[in-house]
Amino acid sequence: MAACVDNPRNHDRHRTACCRGTNSLSKFITKLRRPRTPNLDPHRSLNPRACYKKVINDYRRVNPEAYSEDLIWLKMREEAAFDIMQEPILKKYYHSTILSHTSLERALANRLALKLCNADLSREALRDVFLKEFEDIGIQSAIRDDLKAVRERDPACVSYVNCFLNFKGFLACQAYRLAHKFWIQGRTVLAFLIQNQVSEVFAMDIHPGAKIGPGIVFDHGTGVVIGETTVIGDNVTILHNVTLGGTGKVEGDRHPKIGDGVLIGAGAKILGNVRIGEKAKIGAGSIVLKEVPAKATAVGNPARIVGL
């Protein structure tokens, strides 16, 4: 499982190129208005998608280096520009949440701060704290892996922007990644505060001590509970009302270990320090108390193996 730790790269070059690309793209977005071409047939309606693609292709030609630096962020800005063309009422909303920011990390820090702030905990204070932790290359990589995972594996997700703005499972996971970073730094009070806010706002309770790999999909997310010593591998999909908990009879390492590529169905309960093998499937409503082999399917209460 890939751990969320620093993977040294030239971060300053990345941020500079991304900001340069962002400013260039903003200038090109202004061209998305109806073009004033003398030879344009006034009786033929303009195809907004064709106009949009031309602008983006021009941007790619002029800024190939910047475009290649952060494809996910630039793709999100393209999607935002296109959505505004389709629904002009979204212009102010998309500007404040995406287009006014110079990087995915800044936009996400602002988004999470807006969701998790309250009367006694200002958005500005949370945003600044979150933004500092988002300088971690490991977290930056995990954010993008999570976005790609939701876009590819959730058929209800129509775009990266759709996931970023509207999928609480994705937002709760990114808040957990911040809380986990605070946890391993020994800043447990702040980690627990974020856990509590996430539980109240997103109806998901993820202990900051749990270890969750990249490429996670929390489909719907509502009712998910994940215990302190849980370990979740890469590219795992977890549906709503899933509990990864303890049996209440032991202390210490007492929670499940989920292998890479596992699918856990809605309402499933996996209890105790049991191993779920890679690419296994847990049926909806199942209660798992024993190990499940790799690539196996387990269903029922108590769960039994029905396929390998």
Side-chain angles (χ1 to χ4, degrees):
M1 181 188 75
C4 295
V5 296
D6 284 341
N7 179 18
R9 298 176 185 173
N10 193 334
H11 181 60
D12 290 337
R13 181 184 62 82
H14 167 84
R15 180 158 52 185
T16 300
C18 185
C19 293
R20 183 172 63 248
T22 296
N23 293 334
S24 300
L25 182 57
S26 298
K27 294 178 181 178
F28 273 103
I29 289 173
T30 62
K31 298 181 181 180
L32 290 174
R33 303 186 184 91
R34 183 184 296 272
R36 299 176 180 177
T37 306
N39 296 327
L40 183 66
D41 184 352
H43 300 290
R44 187 179 67 181
S45 62
L46 177 66
N47 184 336
R49 185 178 292 272
C51 177
Y52 159 80
K53 287 184 175 180
K54 181 180 184 305
V55 169
I56 295 306
N57 287 335
D58 289 345
Y59 171 73
R60 289 176 176 173
R61 285 196 300 271
V62 174
N63 303 277
E65 181 181 353
Y67 189 85
S68 64
E69 284 293 332
D70 191 348
L71 291 176
I72 296 293
W73 173 238
L74 292 169
K75 180 63 177 175
M76 284 179 58
R77 292 177 65 84
E78 293 174 12
E79 292 171 348
F82 186 72
D83 286 352
I84 291 172
M85 288 175 57
Q86 304 303 305
E87 297 291 346
I89 194 175
L90 297 175
K91 182 177 180 180
K92 183 177 180 180
Y93 175 52
Y94 273 42
H95 178 77
S96 65
T97 55
I98 297 173
L99 296 176
S100 64
H101 300 285
T102 57
S103 70
L104 175 55
E105 286 73 29
R106 288 184 175 276
L108 183 56
N110 182 73
R111 186 69 176 157
L112 289 176
L114 179 63
K115 288 289 187 178
L116 301 180
C117 68
N118 58 36
D120 301 312
L121 194 61
S122 74
R123 181 179 68 174
E124 292 76 15
L126 280 178
R127 181 190 60 208
D128 292 343
V129 171
F130 293 169
L131 190 57
K132 180 174 177 56
E133 299 309 318
F134 278 150
E135 294 177 1
D136 185 313
I137 296 296
I139 294 181
Q140 292 181 13
S141 177
I143 292 169
R144 288 157 178 79
D145 287 341
D146 293 342
L147 271 170
K148 288 188 288 186
V150 176
R151 182 70 182 92
E152 293 169 1
R153 304 207 304 268
D154 187 347
C157 182
V158 298
S159 67
Y160 291 120
V161 166
N162 179 224
C163 173
F164 179 85
L165 294 178
N166 305 319
F167 281 45
K168 68 178 183 179
F170 167 77
L171 293 173
C173 183
Q174 307 323 305
Y176 148 79
R177 297 198 186 283
L178 289 166
H180 181 67
K181 183 71 181 296
F182 295 134
W183 180 265
I184 62 180
Q185 291 173 345
R187 302 166 69 183
T188 55
V189 174
L190 185 54
F192 280 134
L193 183 145
I194 294 175
Q195 177 192 4
N196 179 70
Q197 289 297 100
V198 168
S199 178
E200 292 187 0
V201 173
F202 299 122
M204 296 174 62
D205 194 346
I206 306 175
H207 194 286
K211 299 177 181 178
I212 302 178
I216 191 79
V217 175
F218 288 111
D219 193 0
H220 300 291
T222 302
V224 168
V225 176
I226 298 176
E228 176 184 2
T229 60
T230 300
V231 178
I232 300 176
D234 303 350
N235 303 313
V236 172
T237 300
I238 299 176
L239 277 72
H240 53 285
N241 287 325
V242 165
T243 298
L244 304 179
T247 61
K249 298 181 180 180
V250 295
E251 297 179 356
D253 192 357
R254 60 199 182 276
H255 296 113
K257 308 298 178 282
I258 311 298
D260 296 345
V262 170
L263 171 63
I264 305 177
K269 317 296 178 187
I270 305 176
L271 306 177
N273 187 10
V274 297
R275 168 76 181 176
I276 308 300
E278 293 184 0
K279 299 183 179 179
K281 296 180 180 179
I282 309 300
S286 300
I287 298 182
V288 181
L289 302 174
K290 297 181 179 180
E291 179 176 343
V292 177
K295 300 182 180 180
T297 299
V299 299
N301 177 16
R304 63 190 186 280
I305 306 302
V306 297
L308 283 171

